[in-house]
Amino acid sequence: MKRIVLGLLAATALTGSAMAQEEFSPALLFDLGGKFDKSFNEMAYMGAERFKEETGVEYAEFEISNDAQREQALRRFAERGHNPIVMAGFTWVEYLNKVAPEYPDVDFTIIDDKVDQPNVRSVTFKEQEGSYLVGLLAAMASETGTIGFVGGMEVPLIGKFECGYVGGAKAANPDVTVIRNYTGDTPSAWNDPTKGGEITRTQIDQGADVVYHAAGGTGVGVLQAAADAGKLGIGVDSNQNALHPGSVLTSMVKKVDVAVYDSFMDAKNGEFDYGVQNVGLAEDAVGYALDEHNESLITDEMKKAAEDAKAKIIAGEIEVHNFLDDNSCPYW
């Protein structure tokens, strides 16, 4: 598969052997941070790769480096006949709202936000539910009673992670202290491991011994800093337990890969539908990761508490606050 070079975007085929004018020619547009960010984008990539491995069908792809590329990339993919076109990230909303009506015969999927257009599938996740579970585990694992949260760009979506995490932590220990910081307020906040590490070390200096990140590629620095200090990190989106075995308590897994895979496969099978898919624990779309890299860190008591909470959330006995409902969190 060929990497697309922006300078040639208007003049060259966008990737591989996918034929531009075929009715089915899937494409994937990544968000800032790159497809190998070990987090959100990489999960999208894994879903596309799974589809390719199972079907033998190539897909087009593009990694943007700035927001100015978004509309151009969307338009070029559509003009060249790629269908469906999947976008990873809420920051595509503005551009998709502009481009989708101009290509009514193209099917689009946006992951992490909603676009109300007749040819768009919107996939959103109940990140607050998975974050509640890892917050509960963080509070139970903490020896100091202080834990941390590092967000990437300070946007309402990440408020869902943050608020759910605090809610789960306080359910396990009402007296827990949660230190909360963000990397920044621009898209570069998703790809700044150095700053992520700096913030983590500051939180550790303030007593945090477990730190959860929802910061994309920045989170690599968070997990590294926690491991270096002999503390525990918590990964996000992909299963990041293996990045530092024995130092990552767990990961809040978000199945972006399934959203990409399903979009490609549904289109291939003529089953692509539209509207909003809002998925969480009940759909096995979010959760916490348990494997050989962290099994020694999760006690039977912790696992039982997490599984009990999961069952109660699915049953509606525990309602995890969704920050997006009112842009507020009851815990602060």
Side-chain angles (χ1 to χ4, degrees):
M1 185 181 307
K2 297 179 181 178
R3 183 72 59 86
I4 299 168
V5 179
L6 178 63
L8 301 179
L9 186 61
T12 63
L14 291 178
T15 144
S17 60
M19 299 301 293
Q21 299 305 317
E22 290 181 359
E23 181 179 353
F24 177 72
S25 179
L28 175 61
L29 295 168
F30 296 100
D31 211 340
L32 291 169
K35 68 180 178 182
F36 296 125
D37 63 357
K38 305 298 183 185
S39 188
F40 178 80
N41 281 315
E42 191 156 336
M43 286 296 285
Y45 168 73
M46 289 170 62
E49 285 292 290
R50 175 188 165 198
F51 171 83
K52 185 176 75 170
E53 290 169 7
E54 292 185 10
T55 65
V57 177
E58 295 281 349
Y59 63 94
E61 63 170 14
F62 184 52
E63 299 177 68
I64 64 166
S65 57
N66 58 70
D67 285 334
Q69 297 173 325
R70 293 184 190 273
E71 184 176 341
Q72 182 189 24
L74 256 179
R75 201 175 295 282
R76 290 299 182 186
F77 271 78
E79 287 176 355
R80 294 183 183 277
H82 291 292
N83 192 359
I85 299 172
V86 179
M87 288 137 285
F90 66 91
T91 42
W92 289 96
V93 167
E94 174 187 350
Y95 310 93
L96 183 57
N97 264 317
K98 184 174 182 179
V99 172
E102 299 176 18
Y103 300 92
D105 295 329
V106 177
D107 295 331
F108 297 92
T109 294
I110 185 167
I111 299 172
D112 262 3
D113 212 325
K114 304 172 186 177
V115 168
D116 186 16
Q117 299 287 349
N119 55 335
V120 174
R121 171 187 291 187
S122 302
V123 183
T124 58
F125 293 85
K126 299 176 183 178
E127 294 95 348
Q128 69 274 13
E129 294 182 350
S131 296
Y132 183 99
L133 298 184
V134 302
L136 181 149
L137 292 171
M140 294 184 72
S142 176
E143 297 178 357
T144 64
T146 298
I147 60 177
F149 173 84
V150 179
M153 188 176 176
E154 191 166 3
V155 291
L157 173 66
I158 304 304
K160 294 169 69 179
F161 294 81
E162 180 184 11
C163 187
Y165 178 67
V166 177
K170 288 189 173 295
N173 175 10
D175 297 323
V176 70
T177 297
V178 185
I179 304 170
R180 314 184 322 272
N181 298 107
Y182 281 79
T183 314
D185 55 7
T186 67
S188 63
W190 304 116
N191 194 29
D192 193 345
T194 299
K195 189 167 184 180
E198 292 172 354
I199 293 172
T200 302
R201 286 188 288 273
T202 298
Q203 293 188 352
I204 290 171
D205 288 344
Q206 296 173 12
D209 57 356
V210 185
V211 182
Y212 173 38
H213 86 86
T218 296
V220 173
V222 173
L223 298 180
Q224 182 70 60
D228 289 347
K231 308 302 180 182
L232 295 172
I234 297 178
V236 79
D237 293 342
S238 66
N239 182 354
Q240 299 182 319
N241 295 354
L243 292 182
H244 300 281
S247 294
V248 180
L249 178 65
T250 187
S251 297
M252 199 293 280
V253 178
K254 175 176 162 182
K255 296 187 178 178
V256 176
D257 57 330
V258 176
V260 174
Y261 174 87
D262 285 351
S263 292
F264 283 5
M265 191 64 78
D266 288 350
K268 180 178 182 296
N269 294 334
E271 298 173 352
F272 194 96
D273 56 6
Y274 313 98
V276 178
Q277 299 178 0
N278 186 33
V279 291
L281 288 175
E283 295 80 17
D284 193 32
V286 298
Y288 68 98
L290 182 61
D291 57 24
E292 69 273 17
H293 300 297
N294 72 330
E295 59 186 357
S296 64
L297 303 174
I298 306 292
T299 66
D300 290 343
E301 179 187 8
M302 292 166 66
K303 183 177 179 181
K304 182 179 185 305
E307 290 299 315
D308 286 349
K310 176 181 176 180
K312 289 179 179 179
I313 292 170
I314 293 173
E317 297 174 32
I318 294 177
E319 184 174 349
V320 183
H321 184 78
N322 182 355
F323 184 87
L324 291 184
D325 285 345
D326 54 10
N327 282 338
S328 69
C329 183
Y331 309 112
W332 61 75

